[in-house]
Amino acid sequence: MSHTAEIIAVGTELLLGNIVNTNARDISQALSAVGVNVFWHTVVGDNPERLRQALDIARRRADVIITTGGLGPTYDDLTKQTICAAFDKPLVLHPDILDTIRTYFEKNVHMTMPENNVQQAQLPEGCTVFDNPVGTAPGCAFESGGVHVLMLPGPPFEMVTMLRRCAVPYLRRLSSEVIVSHDIMTFGLGESPMEELLREKMLHMENPSLATYAKPSEVRLRATAKAESLEEAEAMLAPVVKEVTELLGDYVYGVDVESLESVCSQLLRQKHWTMATAESCTGGQVAQRLTALPGASQVYRGGAVSYWTQVKADVLGVPQALLEEYGAVSAEAARAMAEGARRITGADIAVSVTGVAGPDPDERGVDVGIVYIGLAAPEGTFCRRCDFGKRRRDRIRDLAANHSFDVVRRYLTGLPVEHWTK
C-alpha cells in the first residue's frame, strides 16, 4: 500500500522568517526513502485554532501526518494538546518519561527540573513513544481512523535524531515499497538546454522517472524508482543513470556527490596533491568553500585575497608592467596570479579568479560579468574567460567560484580543455 503524507511545521518563528524550515526538507527526504509520498507541506503559527484547522484538512487528504515543534514546556507549546483534542485522544502522564526528563536536567543542565516540564511527560494514550536522547521533549506516534500521526520536536538536531532513530523505523513498517533516487550533478549546461535535450525521454518515463532541478550555477538531474525492494529499485535505476551520464558526458561531475568542491577535494586526495588559491572578485569564496570540507588541510595549502591591484603585485608577484599593460582583469593577470599562488605556497596546482562583479565596469572599462579563471599546473598555466553578463553581483561571484572548481575538476580528470586558452 502506498501512503501519502503531510508535514505540518508548528512555530510562529517559521512564518516570520526568523528561521528556515529545514525540518520539512529532512523529513521529506527520509519519507521518500521508505516509500511514503509527501504531497503537502504546511506551516502554522503557535495558535491552537489554526493548528486544529490544519489538522482537519490534513486528515482528509493524507494518511500520515507528521508535525514538528510545539512539544516544549512553555505556555505556547500546545501541539500535543491540540492534536489529542482533534483525534479524541486523552493525554496520559508517563512516570518513566518524567524520570528520564528529571535525569536529563540533573546530568546535562545541572539543575532541578522546572515543574512546567512535567507536561512533556504527558503523551497520547496508547501511543508509541519516541525517546529523545538529546533533549527533553519526547515524541510519539499513534493511529486513529486509518491516519498515522507522528509528533517530533522542533529543534533540528533533536528532530533529525528522533527521525532517524524512531520515526523512520515506524514508517518503514507501514509500506511495502521503497523509493530510491540518484542525483546526477552537472555543471556548464543550463536547465533549458538540458531539458530540451532530455525532454522526450523524461516525458515517457514514469517508473523510473527523471526530473531536472536548477541549483545556483548548476543543474541536478534526479532519477527515481519505486519498487518492492532496494535491489529491484537499484536495478531499474542503473541503466537510466548510465544512459544519462553518457549522453551528457563531461558536463556530469558526479553522481550522488555533494558539490563541485567536494569532487575536487576527493580528486586531489587521490593524486596526493595540494592546491592553492589567488582570488580577487570572489573575495575568498573559493578558499572558504574548500576549507568548509572535512579534511581540507590535506589538500589546501593556502591562498591570497588580492583585491587591490597593488596586492596582486606585492603579495603574488604579478609584474607591475603586466598589470599596467593588460589590467588586473585580464587573462595575463589571471595566469600570473595563479603562478604566484603556486610559487609562494608550494602547492601542486593553484587556481586564480579575477573579474568584474559590478555594479559598474572597472577603471579600464571591462564590462560587468567578465571573469578570468587561471590555473597553474606542473605542465603549464591555463586560463578560462567567462562572460556572465550583467547579473547580480552575488550571482557573478557564485558563478566565478563554481567555474574555478570546474577548471580544477577538468584538469584533474584529464577532460578536454576546449573552453580554455593556454
Side-chain angles (χ1 to χ4, degrees), residues 187 216-217 260 279-283 285-286 289 351-357 369-374 384 386-388 391-408:
F187 180 79
S217 310
L260 271 166
E279 301 181 64
S280 183
C281 63
T282 46
Q285 186 182 144
V286 177
R289 284 170 55 174
V351 67
S352 66
V353 193
T354 181
V356 183
I370 300 297
V371 174
Y372 294 90
I373 313 292
R384 174 185 289 183
C386 305
D387 186 350
F388 302 132
R391 302 170 187 253
R392 293 198 323 262
R393 181 178 175 84
D394 60 327
R395 279 287 281 138
I396 291 172
R397 284 159 55 92
D398 289 345
L399 281 164
N402 265 25
H403 273 267
S404 301
F405 286 116
D406 187 55
V407 165
V408 172

Side-chain angles (χ1 to χ4, degrees), residues 208-384:
S209 63
L210 188 66
T212 61
Y213 299 90
K215 296 180 64 180
S217 310
E218 57 188 62
V219 178
R220 176 183 66 190
L221 279 158
R222 172 162 286 182
T224 304
K226 180 183 288 188
E228 292 185 358
S229 69
L230 176 63
E231 293 75 17
E232 185 181 346
E234 291 286 8
M236 294 165 65
L237 286 172
V240 175
V241 173
K242 183 175 184 293
E243 181 181 353
V244 171
T245 53
E246 289 178 351
L247 179 64
L248 296 178
D250 58 17
Y251 289 117
V252 176
Y253 69 80
V255 177
D256 296 330
V257 294
E258 289 294 324
S259 60
L260 271 166
E261 57 265 32
S262 67
V263 170
C264 291
S265 179
Q266 183 61 34
L267 291 169
L268 287 164
R269 278 196 187 86
Q270 290 172 3
K271 294 178 71 72
H272 302 288
W273 276 20
T274 57
M275 170 180 158
T277 55
E279 301 181 64
S280 183
C281 63
T282 46
Q285 186 182 144
V286 177
Q288 187 277 325
R289 284 170 55 174
L290 190 59
T291 56
L293 300 171
S297 60
Q298 298 175 33
V299 298
Y300 183 66
R301 288 215 173 190
V305 179
S306 52
Y307 220 66
W308 277 25
T309 300
Q310 195 62 45
V311 177
K312 292 177 175 65
D314 293 346
V315 176
L316 295 171
V318 179
Q320 191 66 44
L322 181 152
L323 292 167
E324 290 173 0
E325 182 176 357
Y326 298 103
V329 181
S330 63
E332 292 76 10
R335 291 190 185 96
M337 288 169 62
E339 290 167 355
R342 182 170 182 255
R343 181 179 63 252
I344 64 178
T345 63
D348 295 288
I349 61 172
V351 67
S352 66
V353 193
T354 181
V356 183
D360 302 309
D362 76 353
E363 64 276 3
R364 286 177 172 251
V366 178
D367 284 340
V368 173
I370 300 297
V371 174
Y372 294 90
I373 313 292
L375 180 75
E379 63 269 46
T381 306
F382 305 87
C383 183
R384 174 185 289 183

Side-chain angles (χ1 to χ4, degrees), residues 19-48:
I19 62 172
V20 178
N21 187 14
T22 59
N23 285 342
R25 175 202 64 196
D26 295 336
I27 295 170
S28 292
Q29 291 173 348
L31 265 59
S32 175
V34 296
V36 177
N37 301 302
V38 179
F39 286 171
W40 301 278
H41 284 188
T42 298
V43 179
V44 62
D46 297 304
N47 181 286

Side-chain angles (χ1 to χ4, degrees), residues 127-180:
C127 70
T128 299
V129 179
F130 294 164
D131 293 331
N132 185 350
V134 294
T136 61
C140 64
F142 65 83
E143 187 271 333
S144 176
V147 177
H148 291 267
V149 181
L150 289 76
M151 290 178 255
L152 305 177
F157 182 63
E158 293 183 36
M159 194 289 299
V160 169
T161 301
M162 189 177 296
L163 176 69
R164 292 173 180 169
R165 286 167 51 98
C166 305
V168 166
Y170 179 94
L171 291 167
R172 189 175 282 119
R173 292 192 292 269
L174 302 182
S175 178
S176 60
E177 294 180 313
V178 296
I179 300 175
V180 178

